[in-house]
Amino acid sequence: MHKSRKRWAAPAAVLTAAVLALTGCGANSAPATEDGKSVVTFWQQKFEDYQQAWFKEQVEEYNASQDDVVVKLQVVPADTWDQKLKAAQAAGKQPDVRTTSYGNIKPGVANGHFAELGELMDAEAFDDIQPNVQDFVTSEGGYYAYPLLVEPSTVLFYRTDLFEAAGLDPDTPPTSWAELVEASRALTKDGVYGMNIGQVALDLAWSSWGLQYNAAGDLPIAEDWSEANATDPAYLELADFYGTLYQEKLMPQEATYPYADCSFYGEGTVAMSACGSWAIGQLSGNPDWKEVLANTAVAAFPSADGDQTTPTSTLGGWTLTVDAKSKAKEGAADFISWLVAGEPERMVDFFKASGYSKYPARISVGEALAADPEASGNPFLTVVSETILPYAKAEPAYPWDISVAFGTALEKAMKGGDAAAAFEEAQVAIDGVIEKQKLAGTNPQ
């Protein structure tokens, strides 16, 4: 516990503001309780039920652990988050701390929404972030968020029993696109499709980011966002991969479930499926899928040429940020330091609660999980941690319209359209977005 903990390391001007706040002085004073505790408001976007329970328990423990700050937690449903946040910002009542996705950090920094945490938290906390995640939370040399978790968007789930029945070795899953297509052909029989993967534009828009990186080494826009790059010939190979799976009917022909929902796999409709790591939680949480789960293995998604050290997945996930206009920045940063940058065991409990469907972005938490008998014995955690997370890339920060333009082209090509013509259309559409939104030179890297 940290009763009366005093370890804020803030510049003198900021500390002065904090003192004024605690004494109720100053026009910009932070709200305080009657007994002088700084009030920190925390908005948590509503996730799975276990996360609401975990955050509630942690906030109560933090509030009881010291005498300086009281955190007030509010859970906000995802479908009303943007509307409520914009309304709060307009009224000057935005939360001091909020959950923020990686994709919203750099645009948020560009718009002045976030306080720099590097000025408010211990430097060692940032040294603990995994090297390939460091860039996710930095902008212009500063840290503006602290990671809670990462989730790879593309993992290969496959049925070991169906592999054996088809004469395939479940210990050597496919590593290249060609091998995956061959395995799909062998597994497609008796009313079961060999594979499932995204097939409609809005799913392909984001679920193919990792494979776009793998095919072309980048995404379909120049690094400085000055022009589209959707006509890179490498994308024709990507379109051929998707098209072969769909046109040979090696996968479901209708998107009954969106990419993020692994129900095709859980129901036994398919023998293999691409999905995010969250599918582990979905599978383990459905008692009707107990047998499927017992015969499930995961692997890094195959790459174009079989090189498993190249990216095939992006890392989504969540962080905690402090609002740039917060009047309680020090208390907010102290809470973040305690909750997600503090004792590794605290986060170990979180990942246990997730069923190891989400993964740490901190080196020390990964080491703590490796030393934990239960965690280290989980086959999904080991595979994802060792073969997927180190090679995954960040989600793009450019406007969603660009991803949709590429996803639309990929769907057309996948379902029999002229791939070259489809990517030409995407090229024009993306250039139009760049011009309309004046994106050239604005990549907030």
Side-chain angles (χ1 to χ4, degrees):
M1 294 298 176
H2 307 274
K3 283 284 186 184
S4 299
R5 181 178 62 249
K6 294 286 188 183
R7 56 181 178 81
W8 299 344
V14 179
L15 282 174
T16 300
V19 171
L20 291 173
L22 291 172
T23 57
C25 301
N28 295 317
S29 298
T33 61
E34 291 183 355
D35 57 356
K37 293 182 180 179
S38 179
V39 175
V40 169
T41 54
F42 170 33
W43 282 15
Q44 178 230 322
Q45 190 166 134
K46 187 174 184 180
F47 301 117
E48 297 94 328
D49 290 343
Y50 74 85
Q51 291 203 40
Q52 274 69 259
W54 184 83
F55 275 115
K56 182 175 183 293
E57 180 180 344
Q58 299 304 317
V59 167
E60 291 174 350
E61 184 176 339
Y62 173 78
N63 287 340
S65 73
Q66 41 74 49
D67 299 320
D68 301 315
V69 179
V70 59
V71 174
K72 295 191 174 182
L73 170 65
Q74 182 176 350
V75 179
V76 180
D79 59 353
T80 62
W81 177 274
D82 288 344
Q83 180 182 4
K84 287 181 67 71
L85 182 60
K86 288 178 181 177
Q89 289 170 329
K93 297 180 179 179
Q94 61 278 359
D96 299 299
V97 178
R98 63 179 184 263
T99 48
T100 301
S101 67
Y102 290 108
N104 283 321
I105 293 170
K106 294 183 189 298
V109 173
N111 290 318
H113 289 166
F114 304 130
E116 185 178 349
L117 294 184
E119 298 178 350
L120 298 164
M121 294 172 58
D122 292 339
E124 303 89 80
F126 299 100
D127 294 339
D128 195 27
I129 299 172
Q130 292 284 359
N132 67 328
V133 182
Q134 290 268 351
D135 183 59
F136 297 10
V137 294
T138 60
S139 183
E140 300 176 353
Y143 292 98
Y144 288 88
Y146 202 88
L148 170 67
L149 60 90
V150 292
E151 293 177 293
S153 61
T154 309
V155 176
L156 179 66
F157 293 79
Y158 65 97
R159 290 274 298 272
T160 55
D161 55 337
L162 297 183
F163 261 54
E164 290 175 347
L168 302 173
D169 182 356
D171 293 328
T172 57
T175 59
S176 69
W177 293 350
E179 289 180 359
L180 186 137
V181 168
E182 284 303 312
S184 299
R185 288 170 178 150
L187 290 161
T188 299
K189 58 183 179 181
D190 302 329
V192 176
Y193 292 101
M195 181 63 191
N196 183 54
I197 198 168
Q199 62 169 276
V200 297
L202 292 181
D203 278 344
L204 292 166
W206 65 273
S207 66
S208 69
W209 282 331
L211 300 186
Q212 292 172 38
Y213 274 119
N214 195 266
D218 212 331
L219 296 166
I221 182 172
E223 187 174 353
D224 64 355
W225 294 3
S226 61
E227 60 181 357
N229 193 27
T231 54
D232 186 321
Y235 293 131
L236 295 175
E237 185 180 3
L238 179 66
D240 182 67
F241 168 61
Y242 275 92
T244 301
L245 291 172
Y246 186 83
Q247 292 170 42
E248 289 193 19
K249 298 183 179 179
L250 304 176
M251 60 179 284
Q253 298 294 285
E254 294 185 8
T256 305
Y257 303 107
Y259 175 84
D261 185 337
C262 73
S263 291
F264 271 141
Y265 183 84
E267 293 171 351
T269 306
V270 301
M272 298 187 292
S273 183
C275 196
S277 63
W278 54 83
I280 295 170
Q282 188 181 1
L283 291 169
S284 60
N286 190 327
D288 293 337
W289 298 347
K290 186 176 180 179
E291 184 175 344
V292 171
L293 179 63
N295 288 290
T296 292
V298 300
F301 197 82
S303 64
D305 61 2
D307 184 352
Q308 295 283 273
T309 66
T310 56
T312 55
S313 176
T314 51
L315 286 181
W318 293 91
T319 72
L320 296 184
T321 54
V322 173
D323 194 275
K325 296 181 179 178
S326 169
K327 298 173 183 175
K329 291 186 179 69
E330 297 72 34
D334 189 72
F335 172 60
I336 292 175
S337 296
W338 182 88
L339 180 64
V340 293
E343 296 294 333
E345 288 72 21
R346 190 179 312 285
M347 294 308 302
V348 167
D349 289 342
F350 174 85
F351 293 112
K352 283 185 177 180
S354 80
Y356 307 110
S357 62
K358 305 179 191 304
Y359 302 91
R362 290 175 55 197
I363 297 169
S364 62
V365 177
E367 292 172 345
L369 283 165
D372 184 279
E374 176 189 318
S376 62
N378 184 283
F380 303 137
L381 175 69
T382 301
V383 172
V384 174
S385 298
E386 296 181 358
T387 69
I388 300 175
L389 297 185
Y391 310 110
K393 301 280 283 186
E395 294 179 347
Y398 51 62
W400 174 238
D401 290 351
I402 292 174
S403 295
V404 172
F406 190 87
T408 300
L410 191 53
E411 181 184 359
K412 287 181 180 178
M414 179 180 188
K415 297 181 177 176
D418 184 319
F423 289 130
E424 285 284 357
E425 291 177 12
Q427 182 86 359
V428 172
I430 293 171
D431 278 334
V433 174
I434 291 171
E435 181 178 359
K436 185 176 181 180
Q437 300 192 31
K438 298 180 174 28
L439 297 179
T442 65
N443 184 1
Q445 294 296 329

